[in-house]
Amino acid sequence: MPSQWVLMIPSGVTLAALCFGVTAIRFANEGNFRLSVLLLLASSICDAADGHVARYLNAVTQFGGELDSLCDLVDFGAAPALLMYLWITKFTSPTHISDDLVWACSCIFVAAGAYRLARFNVGTFQHPRPLPTKTYPAERPDGGDFEVKKVELQRRYYLARSKFFQGIPTPVAAILVCFPVILHENNYPQFELSQYIPLTFLDSRVTCCLLQLLLAALMVSHVPSLSGKVFMKDTSRESHLRNRSVGTMVLKWAALGVVLGLVFKDWMLVMLYVEFGFVFIVLFSPLIFRYVAVDA
């Protein structure tokens, strides 16, 4: 049994994520949206690390899990919603979208995040029916063993489900909702769908409100979403901090070095690439899940 000090380390990482998220709200309120987005990125990194640190130290506790979810609601619910509200309301709207309507969309985003976290906590993840202990081969014209194949498909489906999220995670939604801010801060044209779709009412406010509502719907949905667990055999014990071989360790450190080098060179451009990566994950996760669970 790890000591109390060891058990506190993962919670310390979680609380660091909370501090980054709260500070992001402060700088957004001061109009420093660039730094606010950077703090949200730091918060998401800490959130991704705390679980791996806990498994690496054998310090997984129910307290840590509950603390993580409470902090996530602030970091990836309230913080990005407030950031987007403060940023969107800087722009005037030719379609007369009021600040109250923008605020309502931000509230819906936070509520969806709370629902998503609560569903994750109580374990309402829909698992398939228990696998039968015996199989009874059924005669088929092609000579196949229908029941054995059915059990194998159920087992594959269960394992695939354990390595995918149900709905997009709140950190992914928080980073994606900041997409317009990142585009704007990278000196790209103002993010308006009317630039690509010949509908003049799709201005900045409308576009950002639609983005928040779309991400809120994806958070509460049952759409499979790819996670880092897909590379693990035992998702309850393994950690990316452990290395199965020297080659794996070298590969991880090399990748970390490249990412850190890019971040120090131009972290906003890295954020833009991260955004595109998350868009790819959201779009193709259902197809990957189908391949892993059914077609593999």
Side-chain angles (χ1 to χ4, degrees):
M1 178 68 180
S3 67
Q4 289 294 326
W5 291 106
V6 172
L7 292 174
M8 289 174 61
I9 293 175
S11 296
V13 178
T14 303
L15 292 175
L18 176 64
C19 293
F20 283 131
V22 173
T23 310
I25 297 175
R26 173 199 166 185
F27 283 105
N29 188 50
E30 295 176 357
N32 192 342
F33 299 104
R34 189 182 182 90
L35 183 54
S36 183
V37 171
L38 177 60
L39 289 166
L40 282 181
L41 175 63
S43 180
S44 64
I45 292 173
C46 289
D47 179 72
D50 58 5
H52 293 289
V53 170
R55 289 191 290 274
Y56 180 77
L57 298 174
N58 294 320
V60 178
T61 61
Q62 184 178 358
F63 172 82
E66 296 296 330
L67 179 65
D68 181 66
S69 291
L70 290 172
C71 293
D72 282 356
L73 182 57
V74 177
D75 300 336
F76 311 121
L82 285 169
L83 187 157
M84 287 305 297
Y85 172 76
L86 294 169
W87 184 77
I88 295 170
T89 50
K90 294 196 311 177
F91 301 101
T92 56
S93 175
T95 53
H96 305 292
I97 298 295
S98 67
D99 291 355
D100 292 335
L101 184 57
V102 175
W103 179 253
C105 292
S106 296
C107 289
I108 291 172
F109 181 85
V110 177
Y115 179 88
R116 166 75 173 76
L117 292 167
R119 183 178 65 185
F120 182 82
N121 279 1
V122 300
T124 55
F125 199 83
Q126 295 295 326
H127 293 297
R129 294 178 182 178
L131 299 178
T133 56
K134 295 182 180 180
T135 60
Y136 300 92
E139 294 278 339
R140 293 182 63 185
D142 59 0
D145 190 343
F146 177 72
E147 289 297 327
V148 171
K149 289 182 179 179
K150 181 179 179 181
V151 170
E152 178 59 29
L153 285 175
Q154 285 181 328
R155 183 177 290 108
R156 188 181 300 161
Y157 181 82
Y158 178 85
L159 291 175
R161 274 286 190 174
S162 68
K163 297 181 179 182
F164 282 74
F165 291 117
Q166 186 181 29
I168 66 172
T170 51
V172 173
I175 298 299
L176 286 176
V177 83
C178 297
F179 194 34
V181 181
I182 295 170
L183 282 176
H184 190 266
E185 293 295 330
N186 275 287
N187 298 320
Y188 282 87
Q190 189 169 316
F191 184 73
E192 295 182 3
L193 286 177
S194 58
Q195 295 180 355
Y196 314 100
I197 304 174
L199 296 173
T200 56
F201 67 87
L202 293 174
D203 60 6
S204 295
R205 286 196 176 201
V206 174
T207 301
C208 293
C209 287
L210 290 175
L211 179 62
Q212 288 189 90
L213 295 176
L214 173 63
L215 291 172
L218 288 174
M219 279 193 286
V220 301
S221 71
H222 295 270
V223 176
S225 182
L226 193 64
S227 76
K229 297 177 182 178
V230 75
F231 301 107
M232 300 178 182
K233 292 183 178 180
D234 186 351
T235 58
S236 63
R237 293 179 178 273
E238 287 193 32
S239 168
H240 286 307
L241 298 180
R242 293 194 180 101
N243 300 298
R244 299 177 183 175
S245 64
V246 176
T248 304
M249 179 183 67
V250 171
L251 185 62
K252 287 181 180 179
W253 281 105
L256 180 62
V258 170
V259 171
L260 289 177
L262 292 173
V263 167
F264 283 113
K265 184 177 180 181
D266 189 350
W267 68 267
M268 282 301 289
L269 187 60
V270 173
M271 282 292 295
L272 189 60
Y273 291 145
V274 169
E275 291 281 357
F276 286 124
F278 282 158
V279 170
F280 175 85
I281 289 174
V282 171
L283 291 177
F284 290 97
S285 284
L287 296 177
I288 297 172
F289 174 79
R290 178 174 176 80
Y291 174 78
V292 172
V294 180
D295 298 332

